[in-house]
Amino acid sequence: MKLNFKLILIGVSGLLILGIALIFGLKTLVVSIANQRTCEWANIDNIELNAKINIPSIIDSNCKYSEAVNTKKAYFEFNLTDFDTDGYIEINKLKRLKSKHIGVGLLNFNTDSLKFDMLYYKSRKGKKSNSYVLFDKNKGQLWVSIQYLD
């Protein structure tokens, strides 16, 4: 009887230690992704975590990180065939842009080719980063600028 109790106690303790190790491992992975600056590894996840926006399947993208100003700028293009732009705007809490002057430098941003009544944005100030997101509803294009504060 005592042997069974000891085996059960050792088994439960082992599972508890394994569970704690798994939780800390996942937390470390998420923190590593959130702190990523390059455009290679976990770029979309990093942008989603810092800009608080969902980036669905893309057909084209571009990204640049400037170490001098500690800023990442990215551009994404979505396939509009099966893409609900109104739902995307609502889920990500984007607001309609009211001015041609956005005051933020964005990658591949050409104001001449855009209709301003179809542009939506989101800006966010955080403890570790500030971000600005611009979405063109007609073309399914998304621009993101993230300024890291550390």
Side-chain angles (χ1 to χ4, degrees), residues 3-4 25 36 41 43 78-79 81 103 122 124 128 134:
L3 183 61
N4 286 342
Q36 194 59 238
W41 183 75
N43 182 44
F78 308 137
N79 183 353
T81 306
K122 178 181 189 177
R124 183 184 159 283
K128 295 185 177 187
L134 185 68

Side-chain angles (χ1 to χ4, degrees), residues 75-131:
Y75 161 82
F76 302 97
E77 187 175 345
F78 308 137
N79 183 353
L80 293 177
T81 306
D82 296 321
F83 186 70
D84 178 15
T85 55
D86 291 323
Y88 185 77
I89 290 166
E90 185 179 333
I91 288 170
N92 289 290
K93 299 176 183 162
L94 302 176
K95 300 172 193 164
R96 188 180 295 259
L97 188 66
K98 295 177 182 154
S99 169
K100 291 183 179 185
H101 307 289
I102 61 171
V104 174
L106 295 166
L107 186 68
N108 295 338
F109 184 67
N110 180 3
T111 57
D112 299 334
S113 67
L114 302 175
K115 293 183 179 180
F116 283 93
D117 60 336
M118 292 295 153
L119 292 178
Y120 293 81
Y121 76 99
K122 178 181 189 177
S123 60
R124 183 184 159 283
K125 293 188 184 254
K127 293 179 183 177
K128 295 185 177 187
S129 66
N130 294 331
S131 64

